[in-house]
Amino acid sequence: MLHLLFHRHQPLPDRLVPPALFTYPFHYTPHPLAVEAALRVQHYLEQQAEWQQELQRGKMFGVLVVQAPEGIGYLAAYSGLLAERNDWPYFVPPVFDAQQPDGYFKQEEGRISALNRAIDNIEQDAAYQQLCSQLQCMEQQHSNEETNYRCQMEQDKERRHLLRATADEALLQQLTKESQYQKAQLKRMRKQHQTEQEQILLRLAPYKDEMTRLRKERSDRSDALQRWLFDQYNMRNANGESCTLMQIFQQTTRHIPPAGAGDCCAPKLLQCAYLHHWYPLCMAEFWWGDSPKGEVRHHLHYYPACRGKCLPILTYMMQGLQVEPNPLQQDDEGELQMVYEDEWLYVVNKPKGMLSVPGRTERRSVLTLLQQRLPKGTCVMVVHRLDMATSGLLVVAKSMEAYVRMQQLFAQRKVKKRYVAVLDGVPQVPESGILSLPLTPHPTDYPRQVADKERGKPAVTHYRLQGIRQGKTLVALYPQTGRTHQLRVHCAHPEGLGVPIVGDALYGHGNPKSELLLHAESLEFVHPFTNQPLHIECPYQSSCNGQ
């Protein structure tokens, strides 16, 4: 079996020297050995006719280059299931196989499915449906009767109001009695309606109670099964230690692993290597097939491991390995430039790779640099933010009042922003237009964003193509909203411009060392204190101008 996992029958080229440090899986440039291994896997996938339809729909694959006693080889994996199986011979096995038909997971899953069927049977029962229909019709009929009666009461009230102006004592008493009677009659009507509805509800109660019981049992069994499953995943690390997924995620804010945790490529690859005492050298993951709905994935493009599911797991599993440093924690050489200043505001030119405000890492940020440069105690507050990889103009307030006024301008969309970007190709769209694609965070891979027309927040961008040179396109972007990664997704997504920004490692073809060619070039607004129009520009002094 080992020869089916450890691919050594086609040795990796001796000219490729193994890296000194293992790949940092969340931001990396694939090592040549990992690229060579990925090419072998891709060639293998091309030969598998039975999988082609599923592969076309999209799947993540991964490779891990390892050092074994017999030499350097590689392991291959896919995320989740492939053609409803997780045990194809060419690939590493799952950390835990929950697909065995006679195993506890499948048996308990069958019991949960039986509960679903029992609930469906009740909902489809003819007597139950007839009672529900009767209740619905009765409620509508009662509502109509009460509405009509209240309308009649309003008309009679108006009539009594007119009569009271000339009525004698006897008529006044009669009008009062009429009003009291109608109010009492409405109460009697409502009580009668309630009694009639309760009779049907009593007949429905056994059905409702049984469904409530079944749903609770289903929920309890599902939760217990999920916890049991995560306890079966005993993840190893390079120190020879092991820990269950439940134990790993107890240290996180969510405490419970998300669905599918442990079934991604990277955990399966490392687990297999540790079990066979093969030393991990480098790894890479690539996408095969079409982009999934809402996301931006490119065929054969390399991607980092997901953070929501894999960050806690891989952080544990890489203990004992010498791992490359996180490139996002390595400071850049760009300098913060002051573009505009008055007694209320700063406008700075943020270099790429610099944070707007302090984050979890020790990287420099606009806010911390300004605090270091200015006299101690000076108030500075960043009014809005730019992505770390984006360069350009950023407004900083010198007081709380200035901060609040500028925030109001941004919230009211009274600040005109222009970005310039270089697209990694030529979009097949009109010269100018509007991109409207609602966005929401990826559920398990923050900060990646996905397009979701049902749950996403509105995101609108105006664009204008500026020119084409050497197969690249210069575009001006005018965001009307300020969603995370809005411009990057709107450019890359098939329902947007359909072409990613050059250097975009998340949605395009870049890598962590690539320069994202996106720059906040212009800001226009009416100064919140002087009421004078203010137009500030900072042209992109980079390869962007030469495209």
Side-chain angles (χ1 to χ4, degrees):
M1 180 65 177
L2 288 183
H3 72 281
L4 297 176
L5 299 176
F6 180 73
H7 304 290
R8 178 71 178 149
H9 54 283
Q10 292 180 322
L12 295 171
D14 292 335
R15 60 180 171 77
L16 299 179
V17 179
L21 301 174
F22 183 69
T23 311
Y24 181 73
F26 303 102
H27 295 280
Y28 65 91
T29 300
H31 187 274
L33 276 171
V35 172
E36 185 66 31
L39 291 174
R40 306 279 177 85
V41 176
Q42 292 162 11
H43 176 73
Y44 175 81
L45 293 176
E46 290 173 346
Q47 313 307 312
Q48 309 307 306
E50 60 183 312
W51 298 342
Q52 292 310 306
Q53 186 172 359
E54 180 172 355
L55 290 176
Q56 187 61 40
R57 291 196 291 268
K59 173 69 69 176
M60 191 72 79
F61 291 87
V63 292
L64 175 68
V65 180
V66 296
Q67 177 71 61
E70 55 267 53
I72 293 178
Y74 66 92
L75 311 175
Y78 50 85
S79 180
L81 299 177
L82 178 61
E84 301 302 321
R85 285 178 54 182
N86 59 11
D87 59 351
W88 292 104
Y90 183 85
F91 301 95
V92 302
V95 176
F96 175 74
D97 188 359
Q99 300 301 312
Q100 294 301 316
D102 56 348
Y104 174 77
F105 182 84
K106 280 298 182 182
Q107 290 182 6
E108 187 64 11
E109 197 175 49
R111 297 184 186 100
I112 294 171
S113 296
L115 293 172
N116 286 329
R117 290 193 297 273
I119 294 170
D120 289 341
N121 289 338
I122 294 175
E123 290 178 334
Q124 295 170 10
D125 182 85
Y128 172 76
Q129 290 185 342
Q130 183 177 10
L131 286 172
C132 289
S133 178
Q134 287 178 5
L135 181 62
Q136 184 178 7
C137 292
M138 182 179 290
E139 288 174 338
Q140 184 61 54
Q141 179 183 346
H142 290 169
S143 176
N144 292 340
E145 289 178 6
E146 291 175 18
T147 299
N148 292 337
Y149 193 76
R150 283 195 300 269
C151 289
Q152 183 62 49
M153 288 175 65
E154 288 295 323
Q155 293 174 6
D156 290 343
K157 181 179 179 180
E158 182 65 24
R159 175 179 56 78
R160 288 193 297 270
H161 176 71
L162 296 174
L163 289 174
R164 282 192 176 97
T166 58
D168 57 19
E169 186 63 27
L171 182 57
L172 286 174
Q173 292 180 0
Q174 180 182 343
L175 295 175
T176 299
K177 289 180 180 180
E178 179 183 306
S179 174
Q180 292 171 343
Y181 172 81
Q182 287 186 329
K183 290 178 181 178
Q185 180 63 15
L186 180 59
K187 289 182 180 180
R188 287 190 290 270
M189 179 186 294
R190 286 173 174 169
K191 187 174 181 179
Q192 177 63 28
H193 290 166
Q194 182 179 353
T195 300
E196 293 175 4
Q197 292 177 22
E198 285 176 349
Q199 292 175 356
I200 297 181
L201 288 171
L202 284 173
R203 296 166 64 188
L204 277 171
Y207 299 98
K208 298 285 189 179
D209 292 345
E210 179 63 7
M211 284 194 288
T212 298
R213 185 191 69 79
L214 290 171
R215 289 187 178 114
K216 184 178 186 308
E217 183 181 353
R218 178 182 62 184
S219 176
D220 292 344
R221 283 184 175 274
S222 296
D223 291 345
L225 181 60
Q226 193 75 293
R227 290 174 179 271
W228 176 89
L229 178 63
F230 290 139
D231 274 332
Q232 310 312 304
Y233 282 73
N234 257 307
M235 317 306 296
R236 301 196 171 216
N237 63 25
N239 290 327
E241 303 162 334
S242 65
C243 201
T244 69
L245 284 182
M246 288 298 293
Q247 292 170 327
I248 290 173
F249 277 86
Q250 277 297 319
Q251 311 305 315
T252 67
T253 54
R254 65 183 300 159
H255 302 304
I256 302 295
D263 290 327
C264 295
C265 296
K268 294 199 290 188
L269 290 166
L270 286 174
Q271 185 83 349
C272 183
Y274 293 148
L275 287 172
H276 295 97
H277 306 290
W278 299 327
Y279 187 80
L281 297 175
C282 58
M283 66 171 295
E285 296 185 46
F286 64 88
W287 183 261
W288 182 286
D290 295 336
S291 181
K293 183 180 179 180
E295 291 192 61
V296 179
R297 300 285 194 187
H298 301 280
H299 181 56
L300 302 184
H301 180 54
Y302 293 99
Y303 286 93
C306 68
R307 301 184 71 87
K309 289 187 285 189
C310 290
L311 180 58
I313 299 173
L314 296 184
T315 299
Y316 174 79
M317 297 187 79
M318 292 189 300
Q319 291 179 16
L321 290 180
Q322 296 296 314
V323 183
E324 294 173 346
N326 180 356
L328 295 183
Q329 294 182 351
Q330 297 176 333
D331 218 343
D332 58 87
E333 297 180 357
E335 291 297 327
L336 185 66
Q337 299 175 348
M338 193 71 68
V339 178
Y340 172 86
E341 179 183 0
D342 59 31
E343 61 180 293
W344 302 281
L345 303 171
Y346 296 112
V347 179
V348 299
N349 178 24
K350 183 188 85 67
K352 70 172 186 66
M354 183 181 289
L355 295 168
S356 298
V357 297
R360 297 178 182 176
T361 69
E362 296 182 359
R363 293 181 68 93
R364 296 186 302 166
S365 73
V366 172
L367 185 59
T368 52
L369 282 179
L370 286 175
Q371 288 172 338
Q372 291 169 8
R373 293 181 186 181
L374 298 171
K376 188 175 182 180
T378 303
C379 177
V380 284
M381 288 171 283
V382 175
V383 177
H384 60 119
R385 301 184 187 185
L386 297 176
D387 291 345
M388 185 177 67
T390 304
S391 62
L393 296 175
L394 199 66
V395 180
V396 181
K398 290 185 175 184
S399 67
M400 177 57 73
E401 185 181 7
Y403 175 80
V404 170
R405 292 194 186 189
M406 281 303 307
Q407 281 265 299
Q408 290 174 343
L409 291 181
F410 276 96
Q412 295 167 2
R413 300 180 184 176
K414 293 182 178 180
V415 179
K416 295 182 180 179
K417 297 168 284 185
R418 182 178 75 247
Y419 291 70
V420 290
V422 179
L423 305 183
D424 198 10
V426 181
Q428 303 302 306
V429 296
E431 183 176 330
S432 62
I434 299 175
L435 309 173
S436 181
L437 200 58
L439 302 178
T440 189
H442 191 287
T444 61
D445 197 12
Y446 184 82
R448 182 185 294 277
Q449 304 292 303
V450 296
D452 190 327
K453 294 180 180 179
E454 294 181 359
R455 294 171 295 178
K457 292 184 178 180
V460 179
T461 305
H462 294 250
Y463 74 89
R464 181 175 295 278
L465 305 183
Q466 302 289 307
I468 300 171
R469 184 176 178 184
Q470 297 178 352
K472 313 290 185 184
T473 304
L474 183 67
V475 61
L477 302 165
Y478 305 87
Q480 304 303 298
T481 53
R483 308 300 175 203
T484 300
H485 295 179
Q486 174 176 320
L487 300 182
R488 296 164 69 175
V489 177
H490 279 185
C491 288
H493 198 277
E495 295 182 34
L497 297 182
V499 181
I501 298 172
V502 170
D504 192 341
L506 270 181
Y507 308 102
H509 311 293
N511 60 63
K513 296 181 180 179
S514 301
E515 178 186 0
L516 179 71
L517 298 189
L518 175 63
H519 178 73
E521 185 177 61
S522 171
L523 290 171
E524 290 185 63
F525 56 91
V526 174
H527 197 289
F529 289 90
T530 67
N531 290 323
Q532 295 300 311
L534 194 60
H535 183 193
I536 303 170
E537 288 198 354
C538 182
Y540 194 11
Q541 301 298 324
S542 179
S543 57
C544 181
N545 287 337
Q547 295 296 336

